[in-house]
Amino acid sequence: MGSLSSDAPIHVVLFPFMSKGHTIPILDLARHLLLRRLAATITVFTTPSNLPFVSRHLAGTSASAVALPFPGDIPGLPSGVESTDALPSMSLFPAFANAAALMQPSLEAELQRLHPRPTFMVSDGFLWWTLESASKFGIPRLVFYGMSNYAMAVSYASTIENHLRGPMAEDEPFTVNAFPWIKLTKNDFERHFSQPMTEENPYLEFIMKVAVAMGKSNGLVVNSFQELEPAFLEYWNRECVPRAWCVGPLLPLERPVACDPQLQTTWAQWLDRKRAGGERVLYAAFGSQAEIPAAQMREIALGLESSGTSFLWVVKKRESEIIADVDGGFEDRVSGRGMVVREWVGQRDILMHESVHGFLSHCGWNSVLESVWAGVPILAWPMMAEQPLNARMVAEEIGVGLRVEAADGTARGFVRGEGLAKAVRELMEGEKGEAARKKAKEVAEMARKAAEEGGSSWTALEALVEEISRKRKDHTG
């Protein structure tokens, strides 16, 4: 990077989408750029209600956060909601995402004021309109999608081969020519992709805007590492645009500071006691977006109870109310063996805890990577978005987990408590679980080597900054 230091200081603009799962890895990217001195200045754009969260995660760095006003009085959207985490229903997502585009004039006013002039911008793919803003100021735009190469490549191949439309049943297996060893179904994809683009399908219209803007951008920043999915990275860079750069896992580079035992959370103390007793703990969490029906929540509780396994289960407020009514006293019956947490937790800290030997997960990509980094096998139960594809990757492609099976055998079917209990026991005690655990440890070592100095992700980030900075310099003369 010496050739860059002799030129103007590198100023990187980051603009994450207003959702914690999208925001956190971009904030980790900011830390990587600053700690490795690949950027001199970083500006992060967000909204007023998200500013405290962003500022906390940037604490101790020189990065600055700028709040852009989020539009109010949007039909159908609750007043004051500035993050998808706070939406009462994900059916409001298209309205929320489209409302974000009204921030464009405010973004451009701030870009005009920034000094030094930005070298390049990394914006979330969902903020498709930032391409136009970046182009106005001659700023190269990189896209951050927060997805795996596997999910992107398989989705693209399935679409161009026209597997997602037509009369085929939702759970009828098909094979894509590009990856003949993979069996997929329509249910592995969001239903929007198999519907016509009409006024009744605003989600697909939004995705098309995102895809067009991505194709015109200068690169794709991928939170993954080359060794995890080489065939899918190679396919994307051969068949698609823009070029993908694997720079992950995007996790903190700093070593964690030992916590004062007096300041530990209740759940951390509970995990410490389990470790002291030599017990294996299953961590269960389904992210902040999934909407789990009450009947399914009840089956999860009963399944965890009957599994006989120690578990730490993180739930949202609405889910907590459902759990309280499960056969009058669920938490009392599992007291000592199971713990229900109703607060924001440090998921990475939980997965890195020595007592945690399994992760019952919705397979959001951040969660998959955090589990991979910790060497913890996954019991995959996808809920939405590209999570079914991630689940296939986890269980079938890289072998670091098992799948939860629905009662009817479909990808999105109802899961009974007894079926969940059986899957939990297999992950935590069975031969398949031990094989996945061994593989998870091997993949964790691969991830660390990729992120270390000289590793594939380390060098890819350097090369990306070098290339995009050179393009910016050539463009401005």
Side-chain angles (χ1 to χ4, degrees), residues 272-433:
D272 286 347
R273 291 195 295 272
K274 292 297 177 184
R275 176 179 56 196
E279 297 181 54
R280 288 185 168 190
V281 175
L282 175 78
Y283 169 53
F286 300 100
S288 58
Q289 306 289 316
E291 300 170 1
I292 305 176
Q296 186 64 86
M297 283 295 298
R298 182 177 183 276
E299 294 297 322
I300 296 172
L302 295 176
L304 291 174
E305 180 181 355
S306 62
S307 71
T309 296
S310 294
F311 63 88
L312 179 71
W313 184 13
V314 177
V315 300
K316 299 189 285 290
K317 181 179 178 181
R318 185 186 68 85
E319 298 169 346
S320 176
E321 296 167 354
I322 297 170
I323 293 171
D325 294 331
V326 175
D327 289 355
F330 163 72
E331 289 183 78
D332 289 337
R333 293 194 303 274
V334 299
S335 178
R337 179 170 64 82
M339 183 178 187
V340 178
V341 179
R342 298 169 171 83
E343 63 190 52
W344 177 261
V345 301
Q347 177 162 286
R348 296 168 182 173
D349 294 333
I350 291 176
L351 288 168
M352 293 298 292
H353 199 280
E354 293 176 5
S355 68
V356 175
H357 285 248
F359 183 14
L360 174 59
S361 172
H362 63 312
C363 282
W365 186 238
N366 290 338
S367 292
V368 170
L369 281 179
E370 288 168 358
S371 203
V372 161
W373 185 260
V376 173
I378 297 170
L379 184 54
W381 188 351
M383 300 283 173
M384 57 184 287
E386 89 284 8
Q387 293 165 10
L389 295 176
N390 293 341
R392 283 198 181 273
M393 180 183 179
V394 161
E396 301 169 10
E397 189 68 28
I398 57 177
V400 297
L402 310 178
R403 287 290 296 263
V404 171
E405 293 186 10
D408 61 1
T410 65
R412 298 178 184 264
F414 191 79
V415 175
R416 296 289 182 188
E418 56 267 28
L420 175 59
K422 179 181 178 183
V424 167
R425 286 192 292 268
E426 182 59 44
L427 182 76
M428 301 298 286
E429 306 166 10
E431 291 183 5
K432 292 180 180 178

Side-chain angles (χ1 to χ4, degrees), residues 73-94:
D73 301 321
I74 303 298
L77 286 183
S79 177
V81 171
E82 296 181 11
S83 173
T84 58
D85 308 80
L87 289 174
S89 170
M90 285 305 290
S91 64
L92 298 176
F93 174 84

Side-chain angles (χ1 to χ4, degrees), residues 52-76:
F53 179 84
V54 169
S55 297
R56 283 196 303 272
H57 278 70
L58 294 175
T61 76
S62 61
S64 59
V66 176
L68 305 177
F70 192 80
D73 301 321
I74 303 298

